[in-house]
């Protein structure tokens, strides 16, 4: 008789609660340090763009270690494997608490990606071992990916409160304290058994892992730093591109000749997989554009991080509703084309709506409904698209399909960050020249605005010479706000055109070959 996964006396509600309590902080760790980029950059003495790249490094570790992680997961008893990853993850947080070294920060972010992947793998397996039929597994998919989508506003709210009332170091303490309750509960109620067949740890493909991890990190570096370093005018960008051109063929040749490839390239032979993987990229680009809205709240409307995060919580309402609806649509076997068009339609409505709402003055309540609409779009697309992509290939290469899907999600996420950075620099230089031609001392608009600012300062008892200097500063600040507004509007306009193009492709594609969403033999991947 097989030993049960959990101890017999443990009630079902405690099992589910413990798993959820463990997963929430892990999902939060992904964006914990980018929820307040300026605070992270100031603490480590790095640039804001370096903080963004740290997230790329974290994601690269999650994606590249997936194949090896499965080997370790199968080799060790589940409880033992879980404890090892939890201890190592908390150790990285402890190291970060006592150091301010940028190198240590990037190194621990990479290690945190590896250890988080191991813990997530255990938690997800535990979830789907509790769900036997297709309906309950669909609920499991929806709950997991719903948590993944809403983790961003949740972590933003939590991090803002911690930084506001404590110090930056408290983020690492909070991470340890958030991980402890769920991990202690799970360790107490689990039996020390294996969930899969034991495979010895020999012939681990470390070479492919190194190739793959280097490829992801270099690819992210080129996209994130390319525009700020003037692309091919910079030696580091040239070096990274050269390394990429060398790594890619070496990795492909290795996978073709291996008996058990690290990533089975046969997944790309299936048309439905290619469709799903392609759609993951614009979806993640659309998701990433929400950062511009939160930046607008803070930089233009002058909202503090706590109020920005509170407003962004409205996005969770849309996600929760759409996740429930999309799961129901999948169970009813509704066409994927209809679900995707609905989701991208919500995202189109959000971006078009925000285009007309961007202004220097606005009431915060005005943005609640658009944020809910954005959540409706993200929640409607996320689960059906990932299930469709992974289910498009035979089960025997399902792990490679999951790994390739993570690659495309990584690509979409990185492209989104790179596009925002590049477009911001390009738009700023373009609009700066326009404002420079319009806002001069000979311009009546500029002189009137300066006079108004100066009069306002003098009315508060500020001496005339100081008021004149402050008025000039206020005018420059107003110009900066206008440039940010123009950049946000231009970017959202381009996103609208991009969404329309994607929706047109979905609507006009001749057919989607029939794909059976076999939820009985699959489980979601957490990245």
């Amino acid at each position: 008789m097989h030993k049960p996964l959990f101890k017999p006396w443990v009630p079902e509600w405690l099992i589910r609660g413990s798993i959820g309590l463990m997963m929430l902080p892990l999902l939060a760790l992904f964006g914990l340090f980018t929820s307040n980029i300026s605070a992270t950059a100031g603490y480590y003495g790095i640039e804001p763009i370096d903080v963004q790249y740290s997230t790329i490094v974290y994601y690269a570790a999650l994606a590249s270690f997936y194949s090896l992680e499965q080997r370790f997961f199968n080799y060790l008893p589940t409880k033992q494997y879980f404890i090892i990853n939890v201890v190592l993850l908390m150790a990285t947080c402890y190291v970060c608490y006592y150091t301010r070294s940028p190198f240590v920060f990037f190194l621990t972010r990479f290690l945190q990606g590896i250890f988080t992947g191991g813990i997530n793998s255990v938690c997800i397996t535990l979830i789907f071992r509790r769900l036997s039929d297709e309906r309950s597994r669909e609920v499991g998919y929806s709950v997991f990916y719903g948590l993944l989508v809403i983790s961003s506003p949740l972590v933003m709210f939590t991090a803002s409160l911690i930084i506001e009332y404590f110090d930056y170091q408290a983020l690492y303490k909070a991470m340890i304290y958030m991980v402890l309750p769920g991990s202690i509960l799970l360790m107490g109620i689990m039996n020390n058994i294996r969930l899969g067949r034991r495979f010895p740890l020999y012939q681990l493909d470390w070479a492919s892992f190194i190739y793959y991890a280097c490829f992801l990190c270099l690819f992210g570096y080129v996209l994130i730093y390319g525009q700020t370093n003037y692309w091919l005018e910079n030696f580091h960008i040239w070096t990274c591109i050269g390394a990429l051109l060398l790594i890619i063929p070496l990795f492909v040749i290795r996978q073709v000749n291996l008996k058990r490839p690290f990533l089975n390239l046969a997944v790309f032979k299936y048309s439905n997989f290619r469709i799903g993987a392609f759609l993951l990229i614009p979806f993640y680009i659309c998701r990433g554009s929400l950062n511009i809205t939160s930046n607008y709240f803070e930089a233009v409307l002058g909202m503090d991080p706590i109020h920005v995060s509170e407003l962004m919580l409205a996005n969770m309402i849309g996600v929760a509703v759409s996740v429930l609806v999309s799961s129901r649509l999948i169970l009813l076997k509704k066409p994927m084309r209809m679900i995707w068009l609905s989701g991208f339609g919500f995202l189109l409505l959000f971006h078009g709506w925000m285009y007309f709402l961007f202004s220097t003055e606005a009431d915060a309540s005005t943005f609640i409904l658009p944020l809910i609409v954005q959540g409706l779009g993200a929640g409607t697309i996320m689960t059906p698209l990932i299930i469709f992509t992974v289910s498009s290939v035979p089960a025997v290469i399902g792990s490679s399909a999951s790994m390739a899907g993570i690659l495309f999600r990584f690509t979409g996420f990185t492209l989104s960050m790179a596009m925002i950075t590049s477009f911001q620099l390009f738009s700023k230089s373009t609009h700066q020249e326009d404002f420079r031609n319009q806002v001069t001392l000979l311009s009546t608009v500029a002189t009137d605005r300066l006079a108004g600012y100066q009069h306002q300062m003098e009315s508060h008892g500020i001496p005339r010479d100081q008021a004149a200097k402050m008025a000039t500063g206020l005018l420059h600040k107003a110009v900066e706000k206008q440039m940010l507004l123009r950049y946000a509007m231009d970017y959202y306009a381009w996103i609208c055109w991009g969404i329309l193009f994607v929706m047109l492709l979905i609507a006009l594609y001749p057919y989607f070959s029939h794909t059976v969403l076999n939820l009985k033999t699959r489980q979601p991947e957490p990245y």
Side-chain angles (χ1 to χ4, degrees):
M1 183 176 180
H2 293 290
K3 198 174 183 179
L5 180 57
F6 293 97
K7 296 177 180 178
W9 56 266
V10 183
E12 186 67 25
W13 63 265
L14 182 58
I15 295 174
R16 296 182 181 183
S18 301
I19 297 173
L21 198 60
M22 187 70 236
M23 293 194 68
L24 274 175
L26 297 179
L27 296 175
L29 185 60
F30 182 80
L32 185 64
F33 307 105
T34 54
S35 58
N36 198 320
I37 292 179
S38 57
T40 306
Y43 182 79
Y44 287 103
I46 56 180
E47 296 295 326
I49 196 171
D50 298 326
V51 181
Q52 292 180 322
Y53 184 66
S54 72
T55 307
I56 300 298
V57 171
Y58 178 89
Y59 209 150
L62 282 171
S64 59
F65 199 70
Y66 173 78
S67 183
L68 292 181
E69 186 274 324
Q70 294 296 300
R71 293 288 303 275
F72 286 105
F73 178 80
N74 290 326
Y75 178 76
L76 295 170
T78 304
K79 186 176 179 178
Q80 182 180 340
Y81 181 69
F82 174 76
I83 293 173
I84 291 172
N85 279 282
V86 168
V87 171
L88 291 175
L89 178 64
M90 289 194 293
T92 60
C93 293
Y94 188 78
V95 169
C96 286
Y97 180 78
Y98 283 102
T99 183
R100 301 182 72 163
S101 167
F103 173 77
V104 174
F105 173 65
F106 281 102
L107 178 61
T108 52
R109 284 297 276 167
F110 187 85
L111 293 175
Q112 284 171 354
I114 292 176
F115 304 142
T116 301
I119 301 171
N120 268 333
S121 181
V122 173
C123 291
I124 295 168
T125 304
L126 294 179
I127 290 175
F128 279 78
R129 286 294 178 112
R130 312 302 299 173
L131 306 174
S132 55
D133 62 343
E134 182 177 351
R135 180 177 295 273
S136 59
R137 283 179 174 254
E138 174 52 38
V139 173
Y141 270 92
S142 302
V143 170
F144 174 78
Y145 286 117
L147 287 174
L148 186 60
V149 176
I150 67 174
S151 62
S152 295
L154 272 178
V155 70
M156 184 179 181
F157 179 70
T158 305
S160 298
L161 287 176
I162 293 172
I163 294 173
E164 177 70 21
Y165 294 106
F166 301 96
D167 55 14
Y168 184 83
Q169 281 181 304
L171 282 177
Y172 297 106
K173 272 188 178 180
M175 192 64 217
I176 294 174
Y177 292 149
M178 287 190 295
V179 168
L180 276 175
S183 58
I184 292 174
L185 281 172
L186 279 179
M187 284 187 280
I189 64 178
M190 285 176 60
N191 288 314
N192 196 29
I193 64 171
R194 284 188 176 86
L195 295 180
R197 183 181 174 186
R198 185 175 185 268
F199 289 99
L201 290 178
Y202 63 87
Q203 295 181 343
L204 291 176
D205 197 358
W206 289 105
S208 293
F209 163 69
I210 294 172
Y211 282 146
Y212 201 57
C214 289
F215 163 73
L216 295 179
C217 290
L218 291 172
F219 177 72
Y221 185 92
V222 171
L223 289 182
I224 295 297
Y225 290 98
Q227 182 65 36
T228 57
N229 290 322
Y230 303 103
W231 295 106
L232 297 181
E233 295 181 18
N234 184 270
F235 174 76
H236 293 118
I237 301 299
W238 265 109
T239 304
C240 290
I241 293 176
L244 284 172
L245 294 177
L246 178 64
I247 289 173
I248 292 173
L250 287 176
F251 180 78
V252 172
I253 292 171
R254 182 174 178 81
Q255 303 317 301
V256 171
N257 290 285
L258 282 176
K259 183 179 179 181
R260 299 180 185 87
F262 188 80
L263 171 62
N264 195 327
L265 302 180
V267 297
F268 295 101
K269 295 180 180 178
Y270 298 90
S271 59
N272 280 3
F273 178 83
R274 295 195 299 268
I275 293 169
F278 165 77
L279 291 177
L280 282 170
I281 295 177
F283 169 66
Y284 270 78
I285 290 175
C286 292
R287 274 192 65 193
S289 67
L290 188 62
N291 293 327
I292 294 179
T293 299
S294 60
N295 186 41
Y296 159 76
F297 292 151
E298 189 171 348
V300 177
L301 298 186
M303 299 173 63
D304 61 80
I306 293 180
H307 287 91
V308 173
S309 58
E310 287 176 348
L311 186 57
M312 297 298 288
L313 290 176
N315 188 249
M316 294 170 51
I317 300 174
V319 172
V321 172
S322 59
V323 161
L324 294 174
V325 174
S326 64
S327 62
R328 181 65 179 170
L329 292 175
I330 293 177
L331 289 173
L332 293 175
K333 307 298 182 183
K334 296 297 182 182
M336 281 292 164
R337 177 185 279 123
M338 182 193 74
I339 299 175
W340 291 341
L341 286 176
S342 300
F344 280 109
F346 281 125
L347 292 177
L348 177 62
L349 176 60
F350 165 74
H351 288 89
W353 198 343
M354 285 300 302
Y355 179 89
F356 294 102
L357 289 180
F358 283 130
S359 63
T360 53
E361 295 180 1
D363 185 10
S365 61
T366 308
F367 302 98
I368 292 177
L369 195 54
L371 289 173
I372 293 176
V373 170
Q374 201 278 347
L376 290 174
T380 301
I381 297 174
M382 183 79 167
T383 304
L385 182 55
I386 292 176
I387 294 176
F388 175 87
T389 304
V390 176
S391 298
S392 300
V393 301
V396 68
I397 56 173
S399 59
S400 289
S402 298
M403 191 172 180
I406 298 169
L407 170 63
F408 281 93
R409 278 175 266 172
F410 171 86
T411 303
F413 176 79
T414 307
L415 277 175
S416 175
M417 297 180 70
M419 286 173 59
I420 290 174
T421 302
S422 300
F423 199 89
Q424 185 175 15
L425 294 173
F426 173 77
S427 180
K428 185 176 180 179
S429 62
T430 302
H431 293 302
Q432 192 172 33
E433 186 65 28
D434 294 337
F435 281 114
R436 186 179 297 162
N437 295 331
Q438 298 176 21
V439 182
T440 64
L441 293 178
L442 299 178
S443 170
T444 56
V445 176
T447 54
D448 291 344
R449 183 66 66 90
L450 272 172
Y453 286 144
Q454 185 171 346
H455 177 72
Q456 187 178 2
M457 295 299 103
E458 290 176 359
S459 65
H460 286 80
I462 299 176
R464 185 178 182 84
D465 57 338
Q466 294 184 19
K469 293 179 181 179
M470 294 178 69
T472 303
L474 289 172
L475 181 63
H476 284 302
K477 189 175 181 180
V479 171
E480 287 290 331
K481 285 185 176 182
Q482 288 295 329
M483 286 193 295
L484 194 148
L485 279 175
R486 290 306 313 171
Y487 141 70
M489 294 174 69
D490 291 346
Y491 188 82
Y492 272 40
W494 279 106
I495 291 293
C496 285
W497 285 111
I499 295 175
L500 281 172
F501 176 73
V502 171
M503 291 179 69
L504 190 64
L505 287 180
I506 295 173
L508 297 181
Y509 193 76
Y511 64 93
F512 288 108
S513 58
H514 182 63
T515 302
V516 178
L517 302 184
N518 186 4
L519 303 180
K520 294 183 180 179
T521 59
R522 312 237 183 228
Q523 66 182 48
E525 306 307 333
Y527 322 124

